[in-house]
Amino acid sequence: MGSGTIVGGASPSGIGRWRRWWRCELSSTFLYFSASFLILGSIATFYFWIIFAPHVRTSLSPLACREDNEGSWAIGVFYGDSPFSLKPIENVNVWRDDTAAWPVANPVITCASISDAGFPSNFVADPFLYVQGDTLYLFFETKNSITMQGDIGVARSTDNGATWQQLGIALDEDWHLSYPYVFDYNGQIYMMPEGSSKGELRLYRAVSFPLKWKLEKIIMKKPLVDSFIINHNGKYWLLGSDHSGIGTKKNGQLEIWYSSSPLGPWKAHKNNPIYNTDKSMGARNGGRPFVHSGNLYRVGQDCGDTYGKRLRIFKVEVLTKDEFREVEVPMGLEEPKKGQNSWNGARYHHLDVQQLNSGQWIGIMDGDRVPSGDSIRRFIVGCASFLGVFVLVILMGMLIGAVKCIVPLIWCPHNRGKRSDAFLDWERPNLFSSKLRQLCSRLNRACSSLRGIIKKNTCVGNLVLSFIFSVGVVLMCSGVGNIYGGNGAYEPYPLNGHYSQFTMLTMTYDARLWNLKMYVKHYSRCSSVREIVVVWNKGKPPGLSEFDSAVPVRIRVEEKNSLNNRFKIDPMIKTRAVLELDDDILMACDDVERGFRVWRAHPDRIVGFYPRLVNGPEPLKYRGEKHARRHNGYNVILTGAAFMDNRAAFPRYWSNKAKAGREVVDNNFNCEDVLLNYLYANSSSSETVEYVRPAWAIDTSKFSGVAISKNTDEHYQIRSNCLTKFAEIYGSLTNRKSEFNGRKDGWDV
């Protein structure tokens, strides 16, 4: 009995030595893990700081526009001469001065639009138009950021959909609502929203349009989704999907019902279900049906790759109570080319197209930049990446000897000293304990076996360790990016709830074609870029087919190799904003979008990314950005990376007043950016420049060896001479100074 107090009969001194050894091993292992995760965590933090610039949206409530697993749906407007020639609103060149939208760009309604109006929303989708004369009403699903259920919102437009006034929530029930199909019948306005979670299809009547509705009738006790009613050939037809039946294929089912009145009673079509097929075939409705040239068309959803991937249009050839036949026709809509940087780049699943009194057709479509379930997918991938890092840290520790065993010895029953007879009697019939003991032994033997195969002080061993560390860094960055970096899209920044576009302009020549191709491929994917204009100064211009571009590229060949060509008046530019950006500057699209947002708030100024300060006694000396930061201010923005108003900047540069300055530029083949700053300052007594700090910027000319200004000292001396001449002609800049960190957005630090 006395020896039973010591497990397995081990001596107290032996247990003490074992415990001291274990504490020592545990201490060294703990230090190894701490150091490993500190190093990897620091690398991941630096990666996050460089790659993922903060998205500051100060106009939104903290409860609004949350990341939602259903997506980030928004609503856009399209115009065309027919339903099959629709173009986005930005292609029509609709300008609105009050929102600095030159032109207005999609999306026109977002979660921000309705949230700023006092109705917190995560996304807006399923838009339906109701036309009353020259006034458009738009009903749509808005997912409440607080209750996390769908409500029906309504907005009004008096300018054919260019701008919308948010009126509020038209319908709010205790269950989820969406797909608010609105129509007229017998002088009344009705709405038939989806409320499938209630298990009913309900019809509401407007008692005070557009905000007050009353339940008129429960059409049927059936959880139909995405349903509409249409009058065709003397009967009313109801088309919708019921996903509740056994054997029903979700998003691949369609039923038809018919009646003599929208109020019913409804009879089932002879061939119901009309479809019970693959979800990519367009069976589920995707908006309002329409009639064009006497033919009826149905809009369906292709949910093949993800829910609401795209739309398909079907021409209805036969619709009777005994037969239904339709055939797919081309939609005529150009697919988005910018991927996640397009507001509808990942999917679009709803369209309402109607003809206005003017004869023009208008289409209202929703779209999303991320696929369904994106946030959950990124979380799973991120967690898997972190788990992979943990495994690799253990593996590296085994190779260098910092990790002696995979399963700590104290966890394994057979390692607690000698086993007693009672323990052996219990273990023999216990299969789980036996298997666990064998697993612990094999795992721990793997450590020494692995060190024997791959020795750390050899060339192969060092190579393996380097490879494991590199993979760990990649996985760590992947985990941080997936969990904390958002959906990976560079979204534009709205001004007063509206978006716009700008033209990019760069000046180059034949020796820099490599830079130009990379430039076009990268910047053409930025959300707000409308067109890229290449000012070709020298050599044979490339063909447009040589560029991988998501937007139109136009090459403007110049007769004379002059830096003044950068600001030449160009009537073919369709936007008011122009981003002059050298072809050897590479920065994130998010930085470009932030610069555009600041310019829209200050369109009378030069807004750019490289500040300079002209100050001090005569003769003036040109200095770099460090000088400006030492004096906490700037009065020049280099126009090699700057936004400007082409309707103000270009005429100003080519005015008679600027002729002497242009001659200085031609004589020195330099200083065109400095000249424009003097011209701006000379024309206004208020501030004329704004700075936006980029998260990062790369000079790609360093890799191609075609930098224009190779001798920095000589380059700066020429520009210093220009400062003196421009000050004599146009006046001094030394009395002007804008301070860093002077704006509320925090982008000018």
Side-chain angles (χ1 to χ4, degrees):
M1 293 291 293
S3 62
T5 58
I6 301 175
V7 178
S11 66
S13 60
I15 292 178
R17 287 194 299 271
W18 180 86
R19 286 176 176 171
R20 287 192 296 272
W21 175 86
W22 172 249
R23 290 194 191 100
C24 181
E25 291 295 318
L26 184 63
S27 176
S28 62
T29 303
F30 175 77
L31 289 175
Y32 164 74
F33 278 110
S34 299
S36 298
F37 289 114
L38 179 63
I39 293 171
L40 289 171
S42 299
I43 294 173
T45 301
F46 179 73
Y47 167 79
F48 183 86
W49 178 69
I50 290 293
I51 300 300
F52 301 104
H55 291 253
V56 181
R57 299 178 187 273
T58 55
S59 63
L60 296 183
S61 161
L63 295 177
C65 291
R66 293 174 176 175
E67 188 172 57
D68 197 295
N69 193 51
E70 290 189 67
S72 56
W73 295 94
I75 296 172
V77 176
F78 297 74
Y79 301 102
D81 297 328
S82 81
F84 302 102
S85 63
L86 296 175
K87 303 293 182 185
I89 187 172
E90 52 264 28
N91 286 13
V92 185
N93 259 4
V94 178
W95 289 27
R96 291 292 179 269
D97 291 341
D98 54 339
T99 57
W102 306 294
V104 176
N106 280 328
V108 295
I109 297 180
T110 65
C111 61
S113 307
I114 190 168
S115 299
D116 287 346
F119 310 98
S121 172
N122 280 2
F123 63 78
V124 291
D126 293 354
F128 279 103
L129 269 177
Y130 184 83
V131 182
Q132 243 182 22
D134 293 329
T135 302
L136 306 181
Y137 292 91
L138 188 64
F139 295 85
F140 52 88
E141 172 195 354
T142 170
K143 186 169 184 180
N144 190 299
S145 299
I146 300 173
T147 65
M148 297 301 288
Q149 83 172 18
D151 301 325
I152 305 303
V154 60
R156 177 174 58 203
S157 175
T158 56
D159 57 4
N160 286 348
T163 57
W164 295 86
Q165 176 191 1
Q166 300 300 321
L167 301 181
I169 303 301
L171 193 60
D172 179 8
E173 296 283 20
D174 294 333
W175 54 89
H176 177 85
L177 297 174
S178 61
Y179 209 83
Y181 182 72
V182 182
F183 64 96
D184 288 322
Y185 175 67
N186 282 351
Q188 300 291 325
I189 305 175
Y190 292 90
M191 181 198 298
M192 187 177 67
E194 179 202 319
S196 57
S197 59
K198 181 68 174 176
E200 302 171 341
L201 184 61
R202 294 183 159 209
L203 187 67
Y204 296 82
R205 178 173 56 86
V207 293
S208 180
F209 185 83
L211 286 173
K212 292 186 179 180
W213 300 79
K214 176 184 178 182
L215 177 63
E216 185 73 6
K217 189 174 184 178
I218 298 176
I219 290 181
M220 61 178 71
K221 293 281 188 176
K222 197 172 178 67
L224 290 182
V225 300
D226 295 357
S227 305
F228 64 75
I229 296 173
I230 187 171
N231 187 351
H232 181 69
N233 290 340
K235 282 186 172 57
Y236 285 90
W237 304 88
L238 189 155
L239 283 76
S241 301
D242 181 3
H243 297 151
S244 63
I246 298 175
T248 298
K249 295 184 178 180
K250 188 174 182 181
N251 299 323
Q253 199 258 17
L254 180 68
E255 296 182 359
I256 298 179
W257 303 70
Y258 62 93
S259 173
S260 59
S261 164
L263 304 179
W266 294 93
K267 297 180 180 179
H269 194 278
K270 177 183 177 181
N271 296 325
N272 272 351
I274 300 300
Y275 295 128
N276 191 27
T277 184
D278 186 81
K279 58 186 179 181
S280 67
M281 300 307 292
R284 181 168 179 169
N285 291 322
R288 186 189 301 272
F290 60 90
V291 176
H292 178 62
S293 298
N295 297 310
L296 175 64
Y297 295 88
R298 184 182 73 87
V299 185
Q301 295 184 44
D302 176 351
C303 299
D305 296 331
T306 183
Y307 170 68
K309 173 62 177 177
R310 67 184 184 96
L311 293 172
R312 304 176 69 170
I313 305 295
F314 300 90
K315 179 182 177 182
V316 178
E317 295 185 332
V318 179
L319 177 55
T320 68
K321 61 182 181 180
D322 300 317
E323 187 179 1
F324 177 77
R325 187 171 68 250
E326 62 183 4
V327 61
E328 186 171 6
V329 297
M331 188 174 179
L333 187 70
E334 185 177 351
E335 292 285 338
K337 297 179 180 179
K338 297 185 180 182
Q340 288 187 320
N341 290 350
S342 292
W343 68 277
N344 58 346
R347 49 185 178 156
Y348 51 94
H349 81 333
H350 186 102
L351 172 68
D352 186 357
V353 57
Q354 298 187 39
Q355 191 169 22
L356 301 176
N357 294 334
S358 62
Q360 184 183 40
W361 287 80
I362 182 173
I364 306 292
M365 183 186 296
D366 64 9
D368 194 358
R369 64 179 72 248
V370 296
S372 179
D374 180 71
S375 59
I376 290 181
R377 180 197 63 79
R378 285 188 283 106
F379 179 77
I380 293 174
V381 172
C383 290
S385 298
F386 287 141
L387 180 61
V389 171
F390 183 72
V391 171
L392 289 176
V393 168
I394 293 177
L395 181 60
M396 181 176 283
M398 292 166 56
L399 292 175
I400 65 176
V403 177
K404 303 296 184 183
C405 61
I406 297 177
V407 180
L409 301 179
I410 199 171
W411 293 359
C412 303
H414 65 287
N415 281 314
R416 297 173 183 264
K418 294 183 179 179
R419 288 167 285 163
S420 65
D421 292 339
F423 186 86
L424 288 171
D425 291 339
W426 171 83
E427 186 184 36
R428 286 190 188 99
N430 194 311
L431 182 62
F432 175 76
S433 174
S434 177
K435 295 293 184 183
L436 180 62
R437 178 170 57 84
Q438 294 177 17
L439 178 63
C440 291
S441 299
R442 289 172 181 172
L443 287 175
N444 288 337
R445 283 199 299 269
C447 291
S448 57
S449 300
L450 191 61
R451 284 194 295 271
I453 297 172
I454 304 174
K455 299 180 180 179
K456 63 179 180 179
N457 292 325
T458 64
C459 180
V460 174
N462 291 333
L463 187 63
V464 171
L465 289 173
S466 300
F467 177 76
I468 293 174
F469 179 77
S470 300
V471 174
V473 170
V474 172
L475 288 178
M476 194 73 176
C477 294
S478 172
V480 169
N482 277 283
I483 293 180
Y484 301 106
N487 57 33
Y490 291 114
E491 301 182 34
Y493 293 82
L495 178 66
N496 300 326
H498 292 88
Y499 298 89
S500 188
Q501 290 186 323
F502 61 88
T503 299
M504 291 195 70
L505 190 147
T506 189
M507 187 168 58
T508 189
Y509 60 100
D510 51 0
R512 297 166 67 94
L513 185 57
W514 179 84
N515 297 70
L516 181 62
K517 288 182 178 180
M518 184 165 52
Y519 175 101
V520 169
K521 182 176 181 178
H522 173 67
Y523 289 114
S524 68
R525 269 76 180 177
C526 296
S527 296
S528 301
V529 175
R530 169 73 173 272
E531 179 189 28
I532 296 178
V533 177
V534 179
V535 179
W536 196 261
N537 259 4
K538 186 176 68 174
K540 182 180 178 181
L544 296 181
S545 61
E546 296 185 46
F547 298 106
D548 178 5
S549 179
V551 300
V553 176
R554 178 165 57 91
I555 299 178
R556 197 179 77 201
V557 180
E558 300 293 346
E559 296 180 358
K560 178 183 178 182
N561 184 13
S562 170
L563 295 182
N564 290 321
N565 293 333
R566 181 192 294 273
F567 305 117
K568 184 174 287 187
I569 298 173
D570 189 343
M572 296 181 67
I573 292 178
K574 300 179 178 66
T575 64
R576 185 167 168 183
V578 168
L579 171 58
E580 295 268 4
L581 187 63
D582 288 346
D583 63 340
D584 56 2
I585 296 177
L586 192 66
M587 63 176 67
C589 284
D590 183 70
D591 291 328
V592 173
E593 295 293 346
R594 290 190 293 119
F596 184 42
R597 170 60 176 80
V598 173
W599 179 86
R600 290 181 65 197
H602 306 284
D604 58 332
R605 303 177 188 179
I606 300 173
V607 177
F609 304 94
Y610 293 93
R612 298 291 186 265
L613 178 64
V614 177
N615 66 346
E618 300 289 345
L620 296 174
K621 186 176 180 180
Y622 182 84
R623 300 177 178 91
E625 184 174 336
K626 290 182 179 179
H627 175 76
R629 292 198 173 278
R630 280 198 300 268
H631 291 79
N632 192 34
Y634 59 95
N635 50 22
V636 169
I637 291 292
L638 300 189
T639 58
F643 284 92
M644 61 197 68
D645 181 356
N646 87 86
R647 296 196 169 187
F650 296 175
R652 188 173 294 164
Y653 192 89
W654 285 92
S655 65
N656 290 330
K657 188 176 182 179
K659 184 177 180 180
R662 294 197 303 272
E663 291 176 352
V664 173
V665 171
D666 276 337
N667 291 336
N668 292 278
F669 204 75
N670 204 326
C671 304
E672 80 287 356
D673 49 354
V674 178
L675 172 59
L676 187 65
N677 278 268
Y678 270 92
L679 295 174
Y680 261 76
N682 188 258
S683 63
S684 175
S685 59
S686 59
E687 294 184 3
T688 57
V689 290
E690 289 289 341
Y691 167 62
V692 176
R693 181 171 185 170
W696 53 266
I698 300 173
D699 183 357
T700 61
S701 67
K702 305 297 184 185
F703 305 102
S704 60
V706 289
I708 294 176
S709 306
K710 295 182 180 180
N711 189 324
T712 302
D713 292 337
E714 181 182 348
H715 176 67
Y716 274 35
Q717 183 57 52
I718 293 174
R719 295 172 82 80
S720 296
N721 295 337
C722 290
L723 291 177
T724 301
K725 293 178 181 179
F726 292 156
E728 293 174 356
I729 301 172
Y730 304 109
S732 177
L733 289 178
T734 56
N735 59 339
R736 293 173 176 267
K737 182 180 176 182
S738 298
E739 293 187 353
F740 292 105
N741 202 20
R743 292 195 311 271
K744 293 182 179 180
D745 56 37
W747 296 340
D748 60 341
V749 294

